[in-house]
Structure formats: C-alpha cells, structure tokens
Amino acid sequence: DDGNEGKTVEAEAHKVKLFVKALSVHKALRLMNLFTISRVSGCVWRQHARPSRFAHAFDGGQRDSVGRCSATIPSRTYQPQSSTSPPSASTRQTARVGPSAALRDGAFRRREQATPEPEPLTKALDLKDVVATKDALRTLDISKLSLVTNCHVLKVLGGSGDLAATEAHFAAMPKHDKFSFSTIVKASIRADRLDRAADYFERMVASNINVDQDLVAGMLGLLSRRPHSDDVQRLLDLIRRSFPEGEGIKRITAQLTYIDGLQNKERYFVLMESIGVAPSHVTINMLIDACSKARDPLRAERYFALLRSSGLEPNVYSYNSMIEAYCRANQFDRSFMMADRMKSDGVEPDEATFVHLVKAASRVSAMRVTELLKESVARVGPSAPLLAVAANAYARFGDLTSMHGSLHAMQSHGWSLRPSAVLSLAAALERKHPAEALALRRAVEARRSDRPDDKRPLGPTKFAAVVRIIDD
C-alpha cells in the first residue's frame, strides 16, 4: 500500500523473522516473494536451499557503520526495466525500504494478469479422475493452459496407463520441461513401449534438459521389472552417455529399497552397474538383506564375497545381515561362526547383532541365551528389543524365572512390549504353561477390544498386568 514506501530494510527483515519464528514460512515467502522477483531495478533477492533460510544482496547498495544495508529502489514514477538494463542514477532514489515497491510493481501485477484454471479441470486433477480430466480437456485450449497444469494433466494421464492420451497431450503442449519429459518416458516404459521411451529420452537430451538421478532411478526401477531386450540396452546406452560423471547417485542407490522381490533387486543392481554406478556397501548390504528375507544364505554368501572382490571391507551391517540369513535358514551354528569371524575381523557388534544371536540361541539352549545376554549388556548395554527377545527365548525353554527377570528389567527401565510380542510369549508358553499363555492372550484381547489394529506398546498398567501373570 501507499504507506509502505518509507519502511526500512530492518523493519521488513524483522517481519520476516517473526513469520519464520511463528512457523509461517508461507507468509514469509509471500512477503519476500522470492519465487517471482529475481531482479527489480538493481535489487536482487536470493533464496537459499531451504525456504526458511533467507538472505538478500543488493546491487549498488551501501553498508553503514553498523553493517546495515541501504538499498536503492525506483521512485514512484519509475517503470521497472529489464535486468539487463538497470535504471540510471538519475531515476533512482536512496531510501531504507524493503521489497514492498517491488512487490507492488511486479508480483501483484503478474498475479492479476494470470488466468485461473477452469474449475472442472482443477477438481478432476485434485481427485486424479482420468475420465473427468479427459472430459474437461475436450472444451479447453491446451496451448493456453499453464505449464504446471499441463504437467499435472500429463502425470494423471500417464499414471492411468493410457499412453495414447498421454502422448496426444504431450504433443499438444506448447512447451516442455524436465518433468513433462520424465512423465512421458516413464509412461512409455510402463506401457512396454520401450522404443517410444528411448525416442522421448533422445528428444529430452537433444533439448539440453539435464538428466538427474531422480529420473535415472525411476527409469531403472521400471526397467528392472522387464526382461532384457535391444530396446532396454538402447535406453541404458542413452542413460550412460547423458548421465554426467560426478553426479550424485544417492537417489539411484536408495531406489533399490523400493524394488520388490530378490530377482528384481538383482536385476536393478545389474542395471546400475551397466550405467557405470559402482557397487557400494549400501547396495551390496541391501542385496544380502534381500537374500536373508528370501531364506537363501548361499546367494547371500556370494554377495558377501563380492564386497571384498570390489575392494570393500564388510561392516557391521554386512555381518548382521549374514547372521540373520543363517538364522532364517535354521543354520544356527553358521550364525555363531559368522559372529566369531566378525570379532576376529575387528568389527564391533551392535544391538542388532546380539538380537539375531539371541534368536539363534533360543533354538540351542537357555544357557547360551544367558551368556549372550550378559555379553550384550557389557558391550552395548541393555535395550528393549534385546530383553524382549531374551524373554521370548526363555519362554521357549519354559524358564519362567529367567523370563520374569527379563520382563522386570524392561519394567525397571520404563520399557514395554507390543501386543504382538506378548502373543509371541503366549505361543512360547503354550506347550509347558498353557494357563499362563491363555492369561496373556486375554490381556492382549482386553487391550484390543476397542482398537483391534492397535500396535502401540502396552501402557504401564497393562504391562504390569502381564508381568503379574508371569509372577503368579
């Protein structure tokens, strides 16, 4: 408004600080309008990596004796010029003001000129309704829609599996960006039109659009679910040539977590190597863990050996995954041998190591459980998961005294059990102490009477009742 011209930079900065402190980052961004104003009459506002961090620098500004910045801004009658031709000194006046004049001259005018999107299309996109989106597009001129809206339409159509409609909308768009190309490439791969995906990817590279790790991770994730073919090899060659060396691969590596099935994970791993991503601790440990869940310790051993052949030393996560793989395959002696090898290699065990070992000892003897429990307390200290596993192991052997000690140790530290852990205790007690097992099941059923899907740990009162059942 008209009274904002005389405001100082300090006042504007103080207002932004108040908004950020009140967690109103959106209001702070609206005030500064860092997204729409890049340069107005020689005044540059820059946005840092996070929205809540602000910094500004003024071209031509002067700092006084206490370090405050005095910016130069256009007068009332001055019309904003382009960033390549800054205003002359005769048309500028020096004042302590914030971006209010810039907001009035630039952002608000652009906001008034912007045409709102049609309401039927907006509702259809919000609901991801493909049919309603197609109906709304029939009465609209796609070339007049904003790039953001067109990309949103492209995402909805591409997610529906209708490649023909997606390609038609992509062709009708007046301009394309990285998101639109990424969407059409992934939609083509989902529709098993890998030749079309390669064509669009070539167009994307020819348009000088940067190929980032997010796009590469999404493409490899889709290709890992498809058999190898000439089109797949063509896409891999294109990715290898266009993906810049030194580009971050964290997203590509993390995508391996979301791949279902051991075979698809192995396929993704091969694809990563084919585009030049070298094996790492993270990727190989993920594969060892996948082999463990598939109860295939022999295949896990091959990946464990791949660590050393790749110049990598196994870490605690590698050993933990191998110990768990042997436990799941009921090869408990091999679990203890791997733990001994872990110690001989100088790798310090952690809480997860002892949890897996106690699970293995629960099939051997109660004495072995006690030894491991004492060693774990000496090395890593007591923990709720370890005591819960120990209590379950003692229940298998019918050792109510030791189980009582583990539960009381949890109670003394303020820890509790989940309903599923109590049911595991009941199952372990079923053979030798059926009455106690029935009482534990009733305690959990009383907890789940109102909320059957409640997986939260038992409260102090309920857990005390469980401990009393064991005491009795």
Side-chain angles (χ1 to χ4, degrees):
D1 58 340
D2 295 338
N4 280 344
E5 191 176 15
K7 285 189 175 181
T8 63
V9 173
E10 290 86 349
E12 293 291 327
H14 180 66
K15 188 182 296 185
V16 174
K17 290 179 182 177
L18 292 178
F19 282 139
V20 175
K21 286 182 179 180
L23 300 180
S24 299
V25 179
H26 177 67
K27 292 184 179 179
L29 290 175
R30 287 188 60 188
L31 173 70
M32 306 296 288
N33 210 350
L34 297 175
F35 296 114
T36 55
I37 299 180
S38 60
R39 184 183 180 100
V40 178
S41 66
C43 177
V44 181
W45 295 80
R46 296 188 180 96
Q47 178 194 9
H48 276 221
R50 295 180 181 177
S52 58
R53 298 179 181 177
F54 298 96
H56 56 269
F58 296 93
D59 291 347
Q62 302 292 330
R63 290 191 177 273
D64 57 18
S65 58
V66 295
R68 292 175 298 188
C69 188
S70 178
T72 52
I73 65 159
S75 63
R76 281 289 200 195
T77 58
Y78 171 70
Q79 298 296 327
Q81 302 179 13
S82 63
S83 59
T84 56
S85 57
S88 61
S90 59
T91 60
R92 294 160 66 128
Q93 62 179 7
T94 302
R96 290 186 176 278
V97 300
S100 303
L103 287 173
R104 182 189 66 246
D105 291 337
F108 291 154
R109 183 168 64 245
R110 281 192 292 273
R111 192 178 301 163
E112 291 173 357
Q113 292 175 354
T115 303
E117 305 298 349
E119 186 175 356
L121 179 61
T122 303
K123 290 183 177 179
L125 293 177
D126 290 340
L127 297 175
K128 297 183 180 180
D129 190 338
V130 181
V131 177
T133 300
K134 292 179 179 179
D135 293 340
L137 289 174
R138 291 192 182 97
T139 59
L140 298 175
D141 187 357
I142 298 177
S143 61
K144 293 183 179 179
L145 296 176
S146 65
L147 180 61
V148 175
T149 303
N150 276 323
C151 289
H152 197 176
V153 172
L154 206 63
K155 183 178 180 180
V156 172
L157 295 178
S160 67
D162 191 348
L163 182 59
T166 307
E167 288 185 318
H169 188 83
F170 182 84
M173 291 173 60
K175 59 186 300 187
H176 305 98
D177 63 348
K178 179 167 63 177
F179 183 84
S180 57
F181 271 111
S182 301
T183 305
I184 192 66
V185 168
K186 293 177 184 178
S188 302
I189 296 177
R190 290 191 188 96
D192 289 328
R193 292 299 307 273
L194 302 182
D195 54 338
R196 300 293 297 158
D199 294 339
Y200 285 120
F201 192 83
E202 281 185 331
R203 284 181 55 185
M204 178 181 177
V205 175
S207 302
N208 294 324
I209 296 178
N210 182 37
V211 178
D212 59 4
Q213 55 178 327
D214 291 324
L215 174 59
V216 174
M219 292 177 64
L220 294 184
L222 293 172
L223 292 175
S224 65
R225 297 174 175 85
R226 283 153 181 81
H228 189 77
S229 62
D230 293 339
D231 292 325
V232 171
Q233 188 60 45
R234 179 189 172 193
L235 273 173
L236 294 176
D237 294 338
L238 289 172
I239 293 174
R240 185 172 54 252
R241 291 198 300 265
S242 59
F243 191 62
E245 294 184 4
E247 181 75 15
I249 60 172
K250 184 177 181 181
R251 182 69 181 85
I252 300 176
T253 303
Q255 183 68 23
L256 187 60
T257 309
Y258 306 103
I259 305 298
D260 298 329
L262 177 58
Q263 292 183 351
N264 290 336
K265 285 182 182 291
E266 290 178 325
R267 171 75 175 146
Y268 186 89
F269 182 75
V270 173
L271 294 177
M272 285 175 56
E273 289 185 313
S274 65
I275 65 170
V277 179
S280 64
H281 278 106
V282 176
T283 54
I284 297 180
N285 287 344
M286 285 184 184
L287 289 172
I288 296 175
D289 183 67
C291 296
S292 170
K293 293 177 180 177
R295 302 177 186 273
D296 192 347
L298 293 179
R299 192 177 296 186
E301 289 175 355
R302 290 200 295 268
Y303 286 113
F304 188 81
L306 180 62
L307 280 170
R308 295 190 185 276
S309 63
S310 302
L312 304 171
E313 289 296 328
N315 55 18
V316 63
Y317 304 106
S318 310
Y319 284 106
N320 287 346
S321 299
M322 285 301 304
I323 293 173
E324 185 180 14
Y326 289 130
C327 288
R328 289 176 179 269
N330 294 330
Q331 299 178 10
F332 307 114
D333 292 338
R334 287 182 173 269
S335 298
F336 298 126
M337 292 173 58
M338 183 59 66
D340 294 336
R341 180 180 173 183
M342 177 182 184
K343 296 174 185 177
S344 63
D345 289 344
V347 179
E348 191 67 21
D350 60 0
E351 176 190 317
T353 308
F354 286 106
V355 168
H356 297 321
L357 290 176
V358 170
K359 287 182 180 179
S362 66
R363 304 299 181 91
V364 180
S365 67
M367 185 179 298
R368 194 64 183 271
V369 173
T370 304
E371 293 174 356
L372 288 170
L373 191 59
K374 291 180 179 179
E375 183 182 357
S376 65
V377 171
R379 284 178 173 266
V380 300
S383 66
L386 188 60
L387 291 173
V389 171
N392 193 284
Y394 288 129
R396 285 180 177 272
F397 297 112
D399 190 351
L400 296 184
T401 304
S402 300
M403 184 177 71
H404 166 269
S406 299
L407 295 178
H408 267 285
M410 293 184 64
Q411 196 175 21
S412 63
H413 286 89
W415 299 326
S416 183
L417 289 174
R418 295 182 181 274
S420 58
V422 178
L423 293 179
S424 297
L425 281 177
L429 290 171
E430 184 71 35
R431 187 178 60 177
K432 294 186 178 181
H433 302 277
E436 287 80 357
L438 180 60
L440 289 177
R441 288 197 178 92
R442 287 178 176 174
V444 174
E445 291 173 359
R447 160 73 182 274
R448 291 180 167 179
S449 58
D450 298 330
R451 300 175 62 178
D453 298 330
D454 192 359
K455 297 181 180 179
R456 296 173 301 169
L458 300 178
T461 304
K462 291 291 184 183
F463 186 58
V466 169
V467 176
R468 281 199 302 272
I469 292 172
I470 306 300
D471 291 343
D472 297 338

